[in-house]
Every structure is written in C-alpha cells, then in structure tokens.
Amino acid sequence: MKIGIIPTVTEKNKSIYYSIDKSLLTFLNNLFIKPKIKVLNDFNVELYDLIVSSGGNDLLKFSKQKKDKERVKIENYYLNLAIKKNIKFLAICYGAQFLAFKFGGKLTFDQNHVAKNHFIFSKNENKFLVNSFHNYKIIKISKKFNILFKSEDGSIEAFRHKEKGILGIMWHPERYKKIKKFDVKFIKKYL
C-alpha cells in the first residue's frame, strides 16, 4: 500500500518546516502491511492508495499565520487530487476540521476537548472512549457526509463522504500507547 501523509506545518525564524508525528508512522505501519509512506509537501501528481491528513495547524478561519496558509495550500491540493483520482482520504483532527469547513460545515471554539478523553456514540454501535486534542469542534456537517459518531455534547466526532472514500475523525488513533482494536476495525470498515 502506498500512503501519502500531509504534514503538520510549523514556522521558526521565518522558515517553514514540515513534520510527521512518529506515532502516526507507527500506527500506519501497524494498520497496513508494509506500507510505503511519503510526506506530501511538494505538490506532486503521484498516485496513492491512501492520503492521510494529519493533525496540527489551525484553519485559516481562526489563524492567518504563514504556516497555516501553507498547510491549507497543501491540504487543498491533495484533497482535490484524492477526489479527482478516487484516492481514499483519512482526515485526523485538523484534517477532519478542514474537511468539515471545506464542504460548508460549521465549527466552534471549545476548550472542553483539549487533552481529554470522552465517549463517542453512534446510533448503530456502542459507545467508545477516545482521546481529544482540539480547540474547535464540528457542530454542523455537509449533507454530502454521513455522521458516524458524536460526542456527549453533540459535536461531530466521525463522518464519511456518501460517495467517496473520505473519512474524518476528530480523535488521534495514533496517540495511544497501544493501538486500539476499535480504531483498526473502524478505519478499515469506513475507508
């Protein structure tokens, strides 16, 4: 499997840096058999089996920093490539917020989701405990997506495009000491 990861973009001394959390690499290496992984920061047209939008950064709605502008350029390019070429797209935390906003959803500031664990609920499945590391929660999503899970406060925690292989999740499956069976089963089921 060939996987491209959209990196977190940081800025230091007016220079832009791209980074991938090592735990995300470990998670993907455990989720798939011997994946070939590449950091996507060069706007190439190479085809992938999966593009992963990692956590980090802020949406331009909330920040006008150079690093966030760069992240949005990369995010837009690879999301459009995924849609055009029918490439599966997994959006984690920031990536899910980006998807929601890009398709006309609404987000709101909420510090109750920062560095905490909470339950998510589905109409068809039991509740699950997930981590949370975001300042903004999704409160409305485009009708192009099915909502899969919500949190106790009603915010949208997981959603999937009705026609494309695009999955957004607000928690970080890669940030657990041990990979959770729920995350593996869930991601494989909905991608």
Side-chain angles (χ1 to χ4, degrees):
M1 171 167 271
K2 194 172 182 181
I3 301 173
I5 302 176
I6 300 169
T8 300
V9 180
T10 55
E11 186 177 0
K12 187 175 181 180
N13 299 325
K14 298 184 181 182
S15 294
I16 294 290
Y17 298 92
Y18 305 94
S19 63
I20 301 293
D21 189 331
K22 287 181 185 178
S23 61
L24 179 58
L25 296 174
T26 300
F27 178 75
L28 293 171
N29 276 303
N30 283 288
L31 189 62
F32 303 105
I33 299 168
K34 296 183 181 179
K36 294 177 183 174
I37 299 174
K38 181 177 186 214
V39 176
L40 302 177
N41 62 347
D42 56 359
F43 303 100
N44 68 55
V45 292
E46 200 171 333
L47 296 183
Y48 301 89
D49 299 302
L50 172 66
I51 294 174
V52 178
S53 174
S54 64
N57 293 102
D58 285 320
L59 296 175
L60 291 181
K61 175 180 179 170
F62 306 113
S63 168
K64 302 294 184 213
Q65 292 184 37
K66 182 179 176 183
K67 64 183 179 132
D68 297 316
K69 289 178 182 179
E70 177 68 11
R71 174 69 187 259
V72 166
K73 281 195 276 183
I74 296 168
E75 200 81 29
N76 272 318
Y77 179 83
Y78 284 104
L79 176 60
N80 290 335
L81 179 68
I83 291 169
K84 184 178 179 182
K85 301 291 185 179
N86 287 317
I87 299 168
K88 292 178 187 286
F89 195 91
L90 172 61
I92 300 170
C93 196
Y94 166 87
Q97 293 173 14
F98 176 84
L99 277 178
F101 189 73
K102 173 96 173 160
F103 284 92
K106 291 186 180 178
L107 291 91
T108 186
F109 182 78
D110 188 339
Q111 287 189 308
N112 290 326
H113 286 256
V114 180
K116 295 184 179 179
N117 292 322
H118 63 87
F119 285 100
I120 58 173
F121 303 87
S122 170
K123 291 179 184 175
N124 303 322
E125 299 183 43
N126 295 327
K127 66 182 179 179
F128 296 96
L129 187 66
V130 298
N131 60 33
S132 189
F133 294 95
H134 51 270
N135 287 319
Y136 301 98
K137 63 183 184 180
I138 301 168
I139 56 171
K140 184 181 176 188
I141 195 90
S142 164
K143 297 207 183 298
K144 293 182 178 186
F145 293 91
N146 287 321
I147 296 172
L148 304 173
F149 283 94
K150 286 187 172 186
S151 67
E152 293 171 296
D153 66 6
S155 63
I156 299 165
E157 291 285 327
F159 53 95
R160 186 178 191 283
H161 197 281
K162 291 178 179 177
E163 297 173 6
K164 302 284 184 179
I166 300 173
L167 176 65
I169 60 175
M170 289 297 290
W171 67 92
H172 288 265
E174 77 279 9
R175 289 191 182 174
Y176 295 105
K177 288 181 182 177
K178 185 178 176 186
I179 293 173
K180 289 186 161 192
K181 289 180 185 177
F182 163 74
D183 289 323
V184 172
K185 183 179 174 185
F186 174 79
I187 290 170
K188 287 186 174 184
K189 177 180 179 180
Y190 288 105
L191 270 181

